[in-house]
Amino acid sequence: GAGVSQSPSNKVTEKGKDVELRCDPISGHTALYWYRQSLGQGLEFLIYFQGNSAPDKSGLPSDRFSAERTGGSVSTLTIQRTQQEDSAVYLCASSPNLSGSSGANVLTFGAGSRLTVL
Amino acid sequence: TQLLEQSPQFLSIQEGENLTVYCNSSSVFSSLQWYRQEPGEGPVLLVTVVTGGEVKKLKRLTFQFGDARKDSSLHITAAQPGDTGLYLCAGVRNAGGTSYGKLTFGQGTILTVHP
């Protein structure tokens, strides 16, 4: 598609349940990022993929959070045993260039997946 | 630790007024970006400033990068209701000569321009 597509746009779940959030990046973009936006913390980096590898996953808050990317395209962010503090908007972004090039920091964001944990 | 301090957090002004949003840090960034985000949407990149002292203009918006590459400002002239939104600054650091989109964001400025 023309932009970064994320699903679901809204997810309400109960504490303790697992959730999966999906990101479909712009076709041909090799780099993919997950960020989290919450009222108290602003926008925080979670993880970076280059192709199917994740050279930087330093922002994942705990081992309940994991992400994978397959075929150099779609990525899934999984949160296990959700907690109320996981409530946030999870934003995915992609960029067209390999690490080190001038375009590596030009990110296109999706509209996000709003997660509410009751 | 919030590495990028953005101010003010809220700004409510009348159409036609001028405004400035500031983004400050004690750390040096290789470049700094400004985004605008509307409700229900992701942030949209407005500009990237790379060189210390650099000034970029985008219609009524003027962006400046501090000489020491630790701070930046966004100035809007003659604000219009269509400028309403969340404005975010984001810093980029190069690690070991490599660069990727690991951004450090400020807390954002919610701008409301009243007709």
Side-chain angles (χ1 to χ4, degrees), chain A residues 35 37 42-45 105-107 109, chain B residues 2-7 21-25 27-37 43-50 63-65 69-74 86-94 100-109:
Chain A
Y35 281 80
Q37 187 171 29
L43 250 156
E44 304 170 285
F45 167 82
N105 301 325
V106 180
L107 273 59
F109 282 87
Chain B
Q2 185 61 39
L3 297 179
L4 266 177
E5 297 292 335
Q6 195 172 333
S7 62
V21 178
Y22 299 93
C23 187
N24 296 296
S25 175
S27 303
V28 175
F29 291 98
S30 57
S31 63
L32 200 136
Q33 300 179 334
W34 285 91
Y35 289 83
R36 179 166 170 258
Q37 185 177 20
V44 175
L45 179 64
L46 296 174
V47 77
T48 301
V49 285
V50 179
F63 305 86
Q64 186 162 7
F65 202 13
R69 305 206 319 273
K70 293 182 179 182
D71 55 85
S72 181
S73 64
L74 157 61
L86 173 66
Y87 289 81
L88 295 156
C89 63
V92 180
R93 284 200 190 82
N94 286 351
Y100 57 95
K102 183 176 185 178
L103 308 176
T104 300
F105 281 87
Q107 292 285 57
T109 296

